[in-house]
Amino acid sequence: MSSTVGGSGSSEPSGVKKTSKRPKYSKFTQQELPACKPILTPRWVILTFLVAGVVFIPLGVICLFASQGVVEIVYRYDTDCVPPSSRNNMVAYIQGEGDKICNRTLTVTKPMKHPVYVYYQLENFYQNHRRYVKSRNDAQLRSPSEERDVKTCAPEDNVGGEPIVPCGLVAWSLFNDTYSFSRNSQQLPVNKKDISWKSDREHKFGKNVFPKNFQTGAPIGGGTLNISKPVKILQYQFRFFF
């Protein structure tokens, strides 16, 4: 009687080389490159902090003295400049007709060296709202041929079928308070020249783009613009928004 014994083996034909997914050996792939592993002893830690202190403490003292030499006066006038009878509905007073002239006296307790910078601050005004940020068109500000491209400017895109230049909520909410200063009945000049970035003046605003239909529809959002002056000249009024 004869018997046959068969072992379990691979069905692949002989002579076929198996492929391995193991990467080729190198010191880089096996993370065996020479490395510096410093041991932080108490002596090294103390020395490092001493060196950092010697370098940064004098810098901090210099910055502290520089900041203490800055004279800053902050004055909030929105409530004081509204008549007591209209303070229950200040929005109606602000949107009412006529100029609202308010004279306030600021007391300067320390000498102020020139130039003196004037800024304004708005609260509860959120410019990062998506609808507000997208409601503008930079191409319209650069070229007169793009003045009818107002598809991104809703809801302040057109009035009676005619495009608004500049369009959008960003320009519509133009801050329109103006300031003048005097000292001992002597008028102090306010220089508004070159207060915007040079790149904005030369590339962002076109010299042949003039305001059209701006703040002519309801509701009125902010100040008006001189239609005889291009936005390139008026762009200082947009420094806060653009």
Side-chain angles (χ1 to χ4, degrees):
M1 179 181 292
S2 63
S3 62
T4 304
V5 179
S8 60
S10 175
S11 61
E12 296 180 358
S14 60
V16 177
K17 186 178 180 180
K18 294 183 179 180
T19 58
S20 175
K21 295 182 179 180
R22 185 172 61 182
K24 184 179 179 180
Y25 173 81
S26 68
K27 291 185 177 182
F28 177 77
T29 58
Q30 299 302 321
Q31 300 182 7
E32 295 179 356
L33 293 175
C36 179
K37 300 178 181 179
I39 299 176
L40 297 178
T41 61
R43 178 181 297 178
W44 275 104
V45 173
I46 294 174
L47 182 61
T48 302
F49 278 104
L50 286 177
V51 172
V54 170
V55 173
F56 289 105
I57 288 178
L59 293 177
V61 172
I62 294 174
C63 294
L64 179 62
F65 277 102
S67 63
Q68 289 179 345
V70 176
V71 180
E72 182 181 18
I73 299 176
V74 180
Y75 186 83
R76 181 168 180 170
Y77 61 88
D78 54 346
T79 302
D80 295 339
C81 289
V82 176
S85 58
S86 301
R87 291 180 181 176
N88 292 330
N89 192 356
M90 291 191 291
V91 175
Y93 172 77
I94 294 173
Q95 293 181 345
E97 297 181 356
D99 294 332
K100 285 81 177 178
I101 300 177
C102 179
N103 296 320
R104 310 303 300 173
T105 301
L106 305 180
T107 302
V108 182
T109 58
K110 295 181 180 179
M112 302 181 71
K113 298 180 180 180
H114 68 84
V116 178
Y117 297 96
V118 180
Y119 301 90
Y120 59 85
Q121 178 180 344
L122 301 179
E123 294 183 355
N124 297 326
F125 184 77
Y126 305 103
Q127 290 181 279
N128 59 347
H129 194 283
R130 183 179 181 183
R131 187 180 184 187
Y132 180 88
V133 173
K134 294 179 63 177
S135 184
R136 56 180 292 167
N137 189 345
D138 291 337
Q140 187 195 54
L141 300 173
R142 289 192 298 265
S143 173
S145 61
E146 302 290 340
E147 68 176 23
R148 293 191 172 275
D149 185 9
V150 294
K151 57 181 178 295
T152 60
C153 295
E156 294 299 320
D157 48 1
N158 60 75
V159 175
E162 293 297 322
I164 299 175
V165 182
C167 67
L169 290 174
V170 177
W172 175 79
S173 56
L174 171 65
F175 182 74
N176 62 336
D177 283 7
T178 57
Y179 307 94
S180 61
F181 301 90
S182 62
R183 181 182 60 184
N184 298 328
S185 301
Q186 180 182 1
Q187 196 73 16
L188 300 178
V190 178
N191 184 13
K192 299 180 181 180
K193 185 179 180 181
D194 295 339
I195 61 176
S196 60
W197 290 354
K198 184 178 179 181
S199 59
D200 289 353
R201 297 193 301 269
E202 295 182 353
H203 305 289
K204 196 170 186 178
F205 296 90
K207 61 181 180 180
N208 296 323
V209 180
F210 292 84
K212 294 181 180 179
N213 305 312
F214 187 73
Q215 301 288 23
T216 57
I220 301 299
T224 58
L225 297 177
N226 190 339
I227 61 175
S228 63
K229 295 182 179 180
V231 294
K232 186 178 181 66
I233 298 178
L234 298 171
Q235 51 82 29
Y236 71 86
Q237 298 186 26
F238 295 92
R239 64 191 182 278
F240 185 77
F241 302 101
F242 288 91

